[in-house]
Amino acid sequence: MAESSKMKDMPVNRLMVQMGIPMILSMALQAVYNIVDSAFVGNMKVGSESALNALTLVFPVQMLMVAVGIGTGVGTNALLARTLGQGNAKKAAKVAGNSLFLGVLIYVVCLLFGIFGVKAYIASQTMDPEVISMGTSYLRICCMISFGIIFFSLFEKLLQATGRSLYSTIGQVVGAVVNIILDPIMIYGIGLVPEMGVEGAAYATVIGQVASAVLLFVFHMKLNEEFEHEMKFMKPDAGIIREIYSIGLPAIIAQALMSIMVYVMNLILKFSPSAQTAYGLFYKVQQFVLFLAFGLRDAITPIIAFAYGMGSKKRIRDGIKYGLLYTIGLMIFGILITELFPGAFAALFNAGQSRTYFISAMRVISISFIFAGINVAYQGIYQALDGGLESLVLSLLRQLVIILPLAGIFSVFVRNGQMGVSLIWWAFPITEVVACLVGYGFLKRIRANRVDRLS
């Protein structure tokens, strides 16, 4: 079945499974990048505790780079799918070209921050000179060679918008395999490669990202035949850029808020480097689980957007129903693995002094996964139905308005000891439950105002 016909005619439940599985694997593998780095770094012979803390502190900036790349890609994805659903190949070519132009601008900003801003950023979160040195070295490499993750994110969404999610997964698998192979070689020093410690982890990560981006570029040029790929379509078009970001800006802000949340949580937990490190390690496990929901969201958005472009109420309603059902199933799986095997994850990271805090965080925060997953699915539905404002508000509630004041208030009651720190972790499930209730209200309003009124 041709890709465009598949988006139009295949039953939505089958289409979501077919598109969603590769996207879920792709996002899970993206989360594996950070987990693998931390696992290898945590088992370094010298300085492993400082190295783990350094990776915790650099993580918000890594997330921010991914946020801008993926958010731009999300806007491109939804707009491109809708444009193809309307049969407008010329505009589709301009949408794809302008997204790549935006990728160049994003890389320039990351490069400048890598040269001038990383040391001040790391020093704002710790006074340990060893952690500052390790964090600065790692983050500078990631920023200066960030074109891999940026263009991977864009080409991934271009392939997903045309229903070719399998190829984006192939690219992600290749990058993950390259990263996993290079990590021990470059971190510990094997053969002719010298021991590079945390710098080796950074180089392994960016080389894997570049490999993924190059492969997806080839797939995009060879397979996305629904529109042209000439350089002239990269000429900036203010109208198309505005359309991309009217959809994608809420996604960027949503992802960026995750970075802000992690950064502020690092500041809240600054009283205990062990608790700070534990939160950073757990966040990578949490990200792995929630990236399953993000992967399914990336199937929900183009399916519903294409149906919205067609004006098909039934396919929109099916997309919402199956998107929520499948997301809940994935999150139940995530809760099971985190609640049943916290000790195994602690051993993987060689958590050391952070082990008790890490297991406590996993026990409490994982309760929120079902509600968090539903909120992620809601945002994918909103984005497909021109609900950028609702997506933005939900993100603000989840990652800024409720959770940070709540965590800050709970931190006031912390005294020396595990029980006090555990109180901070409860801010996460409380926040997700409240946001989920608000999100359900938004969904009802969007369905009434946009879906039910379709002819």
Side-chain angles (χ1 to χ4, degrees):
M1 185 181 293
E3 300 299 334
S4 58
S5 297
K6 180 176 71 176
M7 294 287 284
K8 180 179 179 181
D9 299 323
M10 181 181 284
V12 169
N13 59 335
R14 285 177 52 204
L15 179 62
M16 194 165 290
V17 170
Q18 188 179 100
M19 290 182 63
I21 288 175
M23 293 180 185
I24 289 165
L25 291 174
S26 177
M27 294 298 288
L29 285 168
Q30 189 166 315
V32 164
Y33 277 129
N34 293 309
I35 291 176
V36 167
D37 279 352
S38 294
F40 281 114
V41 165
N43 286 280
M44 288 167 47
K45 292 179 180 178
V46 179
S48 61
E49 286 277 343
S50 295
L52 284 173
N53 197 5
L55 263 61
T56 295
L57 303 185
V58 306
F59 196 46
V61 173
Q62 289 180 289
M63 292 169 61
L64 186 59
M65 291 190 293
V66 171
V68 179
I70 287 182
T72 303
V74 165
T76 302
N77 183 338
L79 180 59
L80 184 58
R82 188 184 311 157
T83 303
L84 291 172
Q86 295 165 345
N88 191 341
K90 184 176 180 181
K91 183 178 178 181
K94 289 184 178 181
V95 171
N98 273 253
S99 73
L100 299 180
F101 166 76
L102 292 169
V104 174
L105 294 185
I106 294 165
Y107 170 63
V108 170
V109 173
C110 293
L111 177 64
L112 292 174
F113 178 77
I115 296 171
F116 300 110
V118 293
K119 187 171 183 179
Y121 163 77
I122 298 294
S124 70
Q125 301 172 85
T126 182
M127 294 183 292
D128 187 322
E130 185 178 23
V131 174
I132 292 173
S133 175
M134 288 180 170
T136 301
S137 299
Y138 184 97
L139 187 55
R140 181 163 288 140
I141 293 166
C142 290
C143 289
M144 295 182 71
I145 314 179
S146 59
F147 56 84
I149 188 60
I150 293 166
F151 284 100
F152 165 78
S153 300
L154 295 177
F155 288 126
E156 177 186 43
K157 298 296 185 251
L158 289 171
L159 288 162
Q160 290 172 358
T162 58
R164 297 181 174 91
S165 54
L166 174 62
Y167 296 96
S168 67
T169 303
I170 292 171
Q172 185 69 269
V173 169
V174 169
V177 170
V178 170
N179 185 22
I180 292 168
I181 292 172
L182 291 182
D183 257 329
I185 294 173
M186 300 184 121
I187 293 172
Y188 307 138
I190 297 175
L192 299 176
V193 179
E195 181 179 350
M196 290 187 277
V198 291
E199 290 187 4
Y203 280 120
T205 296
V206 296
I207 291 171
Q209 291 166 349
V210 171
S212 293
V214 170
L215 187 55
L216 291 198
F217 168 72
V218 173
F219 287 152
H220 167 68
M221 296 298 292
K222 296 287 186 182
L223 300 174
N224 277 346
E225 298 177 345
E226 290 83 356
F227 49 88
E228 297 181 65
H229 306 293
E230 295 179 26
M231 289 286 291
K232 66 181 180 181
F233 294 114
M234 289 184 65
K235 182 179 178 181
D237 184 314
I240 286 176
I241 292 173
R242 186 163 50 248
E243 284 189 86
I244 288 173
Y245 282 122
S246 70
I247 303 167
L249 186 59
I252 292 175
I253 294 173
Q255 296 268 84
L257 286 172
M258 292 168 65
S259 301
I260 295 170
M261 181 185 74
V262 174
Y263 177 72
V264 175
M265 285 297 297
N266 285 338
L267 297 181
I268 290 172
L269 296 168
K270 195 173 180 179
F271 64 86
S272 170
S274 293
Q276 197 179 54
T277 301
Y279 172 66
L281 293 177
F282 172 74
Y283 195 85
K284 294 178 182 182
V285 178
Q286 180 189 40
Q287 191 182 44
F288 173 78
V289 175
L290 291 185
F291 268 29
L292 303 179
F294 286 135
L296 188 58
R297 179 204 64 188
D298 287 346
I300 293 170
T301 300
I303 289 170
I304 295 179
F306 197 100
Y308 191 44
M310 289 171 55
S312 172
K313 286 184 186 180
K314 182 180 186 306
R315 291 183 71 81
I316 292 171
R317 289 169 179 163
D318 285 349
I320 294 171
K321 178 176 73 174
Y322 290 112
L324 290 172
L325 286 175
Y326 293 159
T327 297
I328 291 170
L330 287 171
M331 293 302 97
I332 291 173
F333 167 75
I335 290 173
L336 288 175
I337 62 171
T338 50
E339 289 287 347
L340 294 175
F341 306 110
F345 283 104
L348 173 67
F349 294 123
N350 191 23
Q353 296 178 10
S354 307
R355 178 185 175 87
T356 305
Y357 292 113
F358 174 77
I359 291 176
S360 171
M362 185 167 285
R363 294 286 192 198
V364 174
I365 300 176
S366 62
I367 296 170
S368 68
F369 286 164
I370 285 182
F371 304 100
I374 291 172
N375 287 328
V376 169
Y378 281 160
Q379 291 178 285
I381 295 166
Y382 303 158
Q383 290 159 6
L385 299 173
D386 289 331
L389 179 60
E390 289 85 352
S391 180
L392 174 59
V393 171
L394 196 62
S395 295
L396 287 168
L397 290 175
R398 294 178 61 217
Q399 282 139 9
L400 187 67
V401 175
I402 301 175
I403 191 165
L404 293 180
L406 203 56
I409 292 168
F410 288 166
S411 71
V412 172
F413 299 98
V414 171
R415 300 291 182 267
N416 292 329
Q418 175 61 30
M419 184 175 295
V421 176
S422 295
L423 185 61
I424 296 175
W425 308 143
W426 279 101
F428 291 85
I430 293 171
T431 296
E432 295 294 357
V433 170
V434 174
C436 194
L437 294 173
V438 175
Y440 178 70
F442 287 161
L443 180 61
K444 289 184 66 175
R445 187 175 69 183
I446 286 174
R447 289 185 63 163
N449 293 339
R450 294 175 193 157
V451 180
D452 294 343
R453 294 182 180 183
L454 289 173
S455 59

